[in-house]
Amino acid sequence: MPLANGRTYLAIPGPSVVPDRVLQAMHQASPNIYEGALVDMVPGIVSDLKSIAGTRHNAAIYIANGHGAWEAAISNLFNPGDQVLLLATGMFGHGWGEIAKRLRVDVKVLDFGLQRTYDVKAVHDALSDDKEHRIKAVLICHVDTSTSILNDIKLLRQTIDATSHPALFMVDCIASMGCERFEMDRWGVDLAIAASQKGLMTPPGMGFVFFNEKASAIRENCKYTSSYWDWQKRANPERFYEYFGGTAPTQHLFGLRTALDMINQEGLENVWDRHKNLARAYWAAFDAWGQTGPLTMNVADPAIRANSVTALSIGTPYGTQLRQWLMDNTGVTLGVSLGMGTKDDPNGEGFFRVGHMGHINAHMVLGVIGAIEAGLEALEIPHGRGGIAAATKIIAKA
């Protein structure tokens, strides 16, 4: 008999679990958009967002998902024919590049595959060879949500500086902000993007672009930015509606305000540590199960694994079977494979992902681990023993 009745659990890498406090904050009548509580609280939201991004510079809010934030960043900085260097470590890196191509930007791609981070020498050589400085920007995902690879942003800044290349440094933090340590100004990032639905614990619908004065100056030379994507008034509004290019995302803002309050109350350093420890609990369980059987984490080196998401291989057709069994029998939804197909498994049915970002704690993680172990048992998928015990030890020590 299925045991899935009750509250379901979304263990995918976004949208993440929305806290009850956030849902309750959103559950209210439409507010006055001309004066009052909504208008008064938005400057504080912007300030807190910049604190989480680690910047004292500019922030623009868009009524959009992460793809919209990608397009906003590209639209404000590049003219048709401008060249950028994209460092791809998974599907989402390529996704940002596709947005740029559609806007007629010349995208030079360094593809590092699906299981490793960027190669320092390859980046250094590409920038050193660009004697005429045709490359206007270097783009990378801090965490690629498809592969769960964590890229070292601080080291990449040092690599760019070692070539004395003037390119902008642009980082996608959609799957990392509020989960991984990220310090935009200290690390020398010129532009960062994020979205509401992952570490920021708010339903999908808001994208954020953070940019410094170097990026702002380049915006002055961009000829074709539409009035909606233009970040100038959003970052420096004279009237309230200019924050959003029109009507404010009212209920989303109330939810975001509460989510930011929760992060502030816990402390950002503690939020980062919580994600680190809970990720290690998952990894301990995965390692235990992988001692016998086909389960392996996509990223072998723990130093380049994201604290927000883990991509795994378990072989065809076990990935799809395990996800379906968990949905039907436990109420837990795991993430599908994205961009991980192989010649023998073109649809990626042997892969799955587990999201561990935003509003998570020890009992949530142990619950998902227990559900996965039940699925492995029920489907008779070969696996090692002691997954729950291994995770419990990590949590006990933490």
Side-chain angles (χ1 to χ4, degrees), residues 48-54 176-183 199-200 262-275:
D48 283 352
L49 286 169
K50 291 196 289 186
S51 293
I52 292 173
S176 64
M177 193 161 289
C179 307
E180 302 275 359
R181 180 176 294 278
F182 179 76
E183 300 176 279
L200 298 180
M262 293 175 68
I263 292 172
N264 291 338
Q265 289 161 8
E266 184 175 359
L268 187 56
E269 291 280 350
N270 293 328
V271 170
W272 291 334
D273 283 345
R274 173 167 52 82
H275 280 84

Side-chain angles (χ1 to χ4, degrees), residues 24-45:
Q24 290 159 6
M26 297 176 72
H27 189 69
Q28 57 179 283
S30 295
N32 189 338
I33 60 171
Y34 304 112
E35 60 181 52
L38 179 72
V39 176
D40 294 342
M41 77 179 182
V42 169
I45 287 176

